[in-house]
Amino acid sequence: MTTVLLDRPAVAAADAPSRLVDPFGRAITYMRLSVTDRCNFRCVYCMAEKMTFLPHAKVLRLEELDRLCSIFVGLGVRKIRLTGGEPLVRRGIVNLVHSLSRRLRSHDLDELTLTTNGSQLSRYADELAACGVKRVNVSLDTLDAATFAAISRHGALADVLAGVEAADRAGLKVKINAVAQKGISEDCAVPLIRWAHGRGFDLTFIEVMPLGDVEGAWSQRFMPLAELRANLSRHLSLLPSLYRSSGPARYWQVEETGGRVGFITPMTHSFCDSCNRVRITCSGRMYLCLGNEAAVDLGKVLRESGEDHDVAAAIREAVALKPKGHAFGAREAGAPRGAARSISVTGG
Ligand code: SAM
């Protein structure tokens, strides 16, 4: 495998005056990096049918993304999740993963992982595992091929299922993420749980957020997870679980399957108190919160300065802008307002 990337050291601890801590005392140790805003799917709650993507010149080269990651690692980031758009459609992505894996080997990074739609995993699962990736999150809302095609617009369920199998065979721990949707999850959630647990995968549902200029009203899709849980309880016995991951999900144990279901409720419950993450777009814009517009253009600093400490200083300034929590204000009549940018910009 070729390593095209610079072997820059992470900013030495001595050059990093202190770790990243936001104004509310939360240490920033988790970075989500959207490596591309492009995707081979057009999920209805995520993207418009016709999307305008960033011009290539604005997108940071893999070497630049690698440099940015190194600077964050030097500032105390311990976990990096590559996302998108679809991270596995970015050309050369495995080279970036391979390069970042040296931070795993040096124990500067605890975890390098990905969120993917799964469609390219058949091709990449083995290489990802060889690079030290241990887990992948695969987004999958339904096992019904027609419903899947309608949600993803451009996707084929068979490709995703083949990708999941490939990831499993490669020894990657798979977690399934499903967006709860009115009119869909009522029928699709139970088979999805049984399938995931039958294969030993965790599964997490998330409430749909009002993000991006997508067709259709958010309120027509929104299903509070309390409603989904009530619906599931008609078919499965759900027992509250004390299990906690590092993320915002709350878990329930499913008696019939022996597996766990997570619920992430950005719309109905706040979980921001323990937020330890920042999000970087493929052009190097750093967002402090999915549901907030505060951002700093690190890409500009990175391209204008050869000095990592200038970028580190810009990161510190950005962290000072981190809001206490996300806010979805009114946009559609009677519905919350989200950010105008799609989640495909900042990554899920
Ligand atoms: N392409 C990759 C994938 O499909 O997982 C990574 C990017 S995708 C934007 C990340 C996650 O965000 C997916 O699980 C997707 O379902 C979720 N997502 C997209 N739009 C959303 C929305 N409006 N509300 C909640 N989750 C959303």
Side-chain angles (χ1 to χ4, degrees), residues 52-115:
T52 307
F53 296 110
L54 282 171
H56 285 295
K58 287 283 273 176
V59 176
L60 296 182
R61 298 189 312 276
L62 294 176
E63 293 86 342
E64 292 171 318
L65 293 176
D66 186 59
R67 179 179 164 206
L68 202 49
C69 288
S70 287
I71 298 169
F72 272 98
V73 169
L75 292 170
V77 160
R78 304 287 314 174
K79 174 172 172 178
I80 296 177
R81 176 177 295 281
L82 304 181
T83 174
E86 171 49 43
L88 295 180
V89 301
R90 172 90 197 240
R91 194 176 300 160
I93 185 64
V94 175
N95 293 335
L96 177 64
V97 176
H98 181 60
S99 180
L100 292 175
S101 69
R102 72 196 188 279
R103 307 281 178 225
L104 292 171
R105 288 191 299 277
S106 63
H107 303 288
D108 293 317
L109 205 55
D110 295 330
E111 188 171 32
L112 175 61
T113 182
L114 283 95
T115 298

Side-chain angles (χ1 to χ4, degrees), residues 39 45-46 83-87 115-117 137 139 141 177 179 206-211 343-344 347-348:
C39 188
Y45 45 75
C46 184
T83 174
E86 171 49 43
T115 298
T116 171
N117 63 28
N137 286 3
S139 305
D141 302 335
N177 285 338
V179 175
I206 182 164
E207 287 173 340
V208 68
M209 293 174 276
L211 294 171
I343 196 169
S344 65

Side-chain angles (χ1 to χ4, degrees), residues 125-147:
D126 288 334
E127 283 180 280
L128 294 175
C131 288
V133 173
K134 300 265 185 278
R135 301 190 301 144
V136 286
N137 286 3
V138 179
S139 305
L140 178 59
D141 302 335
T142 176
L143 293 173
D144 181 82
T147 308

Side-chain angles (χ1 to χ4, degrees), residues 193 197 203 205 232 238 250-252 254 259-263:
I193 292 172
H197 289 177
L203 177 131
F205 290 100
L232 294 177
L238 300 180
R250 291 293 172 264
Y251 290 87
W252 296 73
V254 182
R260 249 189 325 253
V261 182
F263 292 88

Side-chain angles (χ1 to χ4, degrees), residues 10 19 44 59 66 78 114 118 160 192 207 220 227-228 252 257 259 262 265 288 314 318 345:
R19 298 310 193 196
V44 290
V59 176
D66 186 59
R78 304 287 314 174
L114 283 95
V160 176
L192 197 60
E207 287 173 340
Q220 298 297 309
E227 188 180 320
L228 176 66
W252 296 73
T257 63
T265 51
L288 287 310
V345 173

Side-chain angles (χ1 to χ4, degrees), residues 30-46:
Y30 182 7
M31 164 191 188
R32 290 197 173 194
L33 176 64
S34 173
V35 297
T36 175
D37 60 339
R38 291 162 197 256
C39 188
N40 51 339
F41 292 1
R42 293 285 182 280
C43 295
V44 290
Y45 45 75
C46 184

